[in-house]
């Protein structure tokens, strides 16, 4: 089992650091799985930690981050699965910002596996400062790789791009203090409504002039649901707020919300990574 990769440049380091930091903020959990494949790196949370069937994962594109990438394993698809503490991984990547060369390797230190970051920075003249950051990892069994595969995504009934995450965060945070669940309603005319209800009060906020993303099967979907008709889903508000807080760390990307028959999907989309959150829907208000 071997892994060695050289990060493309300081922009590649920034992409990698932002992807991991965004995932850490959105997941709210200490540990995660890091799955290494020939084309992508995947971050995911053990699904057993969720009290419902929520899922969160990130996909980091190798060709956008790494200059060289060498991976060898006995897995049939040449993959390696590591368990890692996010705090240590973020700390190592932060120390690599503004460096001139970063090499990642899977090594052993005193018999224990580590993801090692060899960081080189040019100081004054010809002086090069070299720092090594070792992140302890657990190498998981090949049989566990299938257990952390992202699920097949359901077909959306409506898609909207979220344009003002800071305002949305403020609204959702206020609503969270009123009710643990929020009903999201969207239509094909760029409108979105958030509503929380208790026995004492109902609070609703409306967003207009949002951009609708094209559905996978535009012809069938447009016939089934008129553009002005709202599609609604009741979800756990804390999952929505966690995703927004994480996505705010990568404000340059696109943020997409999709409502399906049995879930709400949230996407953070940018050049180097895609973060996906699947939140199951509850019984309607």
């Amino acid at each position: 089992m071997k892994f060695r990769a050289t990060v493309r440049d300081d922009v590649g380091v920034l992409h990698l650091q932002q992807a991991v930091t965004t995932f850490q903020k959105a997941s709210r959990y200490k540990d995660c799985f890091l799955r290494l494949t020939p084309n992508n790196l995947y971050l995911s949370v053990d699904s057993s930690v969720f009290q419902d069937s929520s899922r969160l994962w990130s996909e980091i594109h190798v060709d956008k981050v790494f200059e060289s990438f060498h991976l060898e394993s006995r897995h049939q698809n040449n993959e390696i699965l590591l368990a890692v503490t996010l705090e240590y991984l973020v700390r190592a990547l932060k120390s690599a910002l503004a460096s001139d060369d970063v090499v990642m390797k899977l090594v052993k230190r005193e018999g224990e596996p580590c993801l090692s970051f060899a960081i080189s920075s040019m100081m004054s003249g010809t002086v090069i400062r070299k720092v090594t950051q070792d992140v302890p990892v657990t190498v998981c069994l090949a049989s566990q790789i299938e257990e952390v595969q992202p699920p097949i995504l359901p077909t959306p009934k409506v898609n909207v791009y979220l344009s003002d995450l800071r305002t949305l965060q403020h609204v959702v945070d206020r609503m969270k203090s009123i009710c643990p669940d929020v009903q999201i309603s969207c239509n094909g005319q760029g409108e979105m409504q958030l509503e929380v209800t208790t026995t004492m009060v109902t609070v609703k906020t409306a967003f207009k002039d949002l951009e609708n993303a094209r559905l996978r099967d535009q012809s069938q979907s447009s016939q089934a649901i008129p553009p002005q008709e709202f599609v609604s889903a009741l979800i756990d508000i804390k999952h929505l707020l966690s995703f927004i807080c994480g996505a705010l760390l990568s404000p340059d990307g696109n943020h997409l919300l999709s409502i399906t028959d049995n879930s709400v999907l949230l996407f953070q989309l940018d050049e180097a990574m895609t973060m996906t959150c699947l939140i199951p829907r509850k019984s309607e208000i």
Side-chain angles (χ1 to χ4, degrees):
M1 183 179 297
K2 297 180 181 179
F3 170 66
R4 178 187 173 94
T6 302
V7 182
R8 185 176 297 279
D9 48 27
D10 56 345
V11 176
V13 175
L14 181 61
H15 281 321
L16 190 57
Q17 187 266 339
Q18 283 186 337
V20 176
T21 304
T22 296
F23 181 84
Q24 180 192 35
K25 188 72 171 180
S27 70
R28 300 179 294 113
Y29 288 98
K30 178 181 177 181
D31 301 318
C32 79
F33 290 115
L34 173 60
R35 183 162 64 97
L36 312 175
T37 78
N39 297 314
N40 298 293
L41 306 185
Y42 293 91
L43 294 168
S44 61
V45 178
D46 186 348
S47 58
S48 65
V49 303
F50 294 114
Q51 296 180 347
D52 52 26
S53 56
S54 299
R55 296 289 299 274
L56 177 72
W57 67 95
S58 286
E59 178 181 346
I60 303 169
H61 311 306
V62 165
D63 61 342
K64 298 295 184 181
V65 174
F66 297 99
E67 181 178 306
S68 64
F69 193 89
H70 179 72
L71 176 66
E72 289 184 20
S73 80
R74 295 181 180 179
H75 185 265
Q76 60 182 355
N77 296 326
N78 194 24
E79 299 183 7
I80 297 174
L81 182 64
L82 307 174
V84 60
T85 298
L86 280 165
E87 179 186 355
Y88 300 153
L89 187 57
V90 168
R91 187 184 304 166
L93 289 169
K94 283 184 177 179
S95 67
L97 292 174
S99 60
D100 295 295
D101 186 65
V102 179
V103 177
M104 296 172 56
K105 294 185 293 182
L106 187 59
V107 300
K108 280 192 174 184
R109 303 293 191 204
E110 299 181 356
E112 298 298 327
C114 293
L115 190 59
S116 180
F117 293 78
I119 305 164
S120 300
S121 302
M122 183 67 69
M123 307 298 286
S124 59
T126 59
V127 178
I128 299 176
R129 182 173 69 96
K130 295 185 177 182
V131 176
T132 299
Q133 292 271 9
D134 289 334
V135 178
V137 298
T138 299
V139 179
C140 302
L141 298 175
S143 59
Q144 293 180 262
I145 292 178
E146 299 304 318
E147 299 174 7
V148 300
Q149 296 285 345
I152 297 175
L153 296 180
T155 301
K157 300 176 74 173
V158 63
N159 294 319
V160 294
Y161 284 108
L162 306 175
S163 59
D164 188 351
L165 284 185
R166 187 65 65 184
T167 298
L168 184 60
Q169 180 197 31
H170 178 74
V171 170
V172 174
D173 192 43
R174 289 292 184 91
M175 287 182 164
K176 181 173 176 285
S177 65
I178 300 173
C179 182
D181 300 323
V182 59
Q183 181 166 273
I184 302 177
S185 302
C186 300
N187 66 15
Q189 294 184 333
E191 297 176 292
M192 180 177 72
Q193 298 174 356
L194 303 181
E195 180 180 337
V196 291
T197 299
T198 69
T199 56
M200 300 292 293
V201 66
T202 294
V203 177
K204 179 184 290 187
T205 300
F207 296 83
K208 296 184 177 181
D209 300 322
L210 302 176
E211 182 183 350
N212 289 105
R214 182 179 176 85
L215 296 168
R216 296 181 203 170
D217 193 337
Q218 185 71 38
S219 60
Q220 291 185 9
S221 298
S222 60
Q223 292 175 6
I225 303 176
Q228 70 278 8
E229 183 175 324
F230 281 89
V231 178
S232 301
L234 184 70
I235 62 171
D236 189 324
I237 199 169
K238 71 176 181 292
H239 294 317
L240 174 61
L241 184 59
S242 294
F243 178 90
I244 295 170
C245 291
L248 279 169
L249 298 179
S250 299
D252 295 334
N254 292 316
H255 306 95
L256 181 68
L257 182 148
S258 303
I259 299 179
T260 77
D261 284 330
N262 54 18
S263 65
V264 168
L265 301 173
L266 297 160
F267 301 92
Q268 155 84 27
L269 309 165
D270 65 27
E271 181 183 4
M273 63 88 75
T274 300
M275 182 170 69
T276 306
C277 181
L278 184 153
I279 309 174
R281 62 192 300 169
K282 299 184 174 184
S283 299
E284 298 295 333
I285 295 175

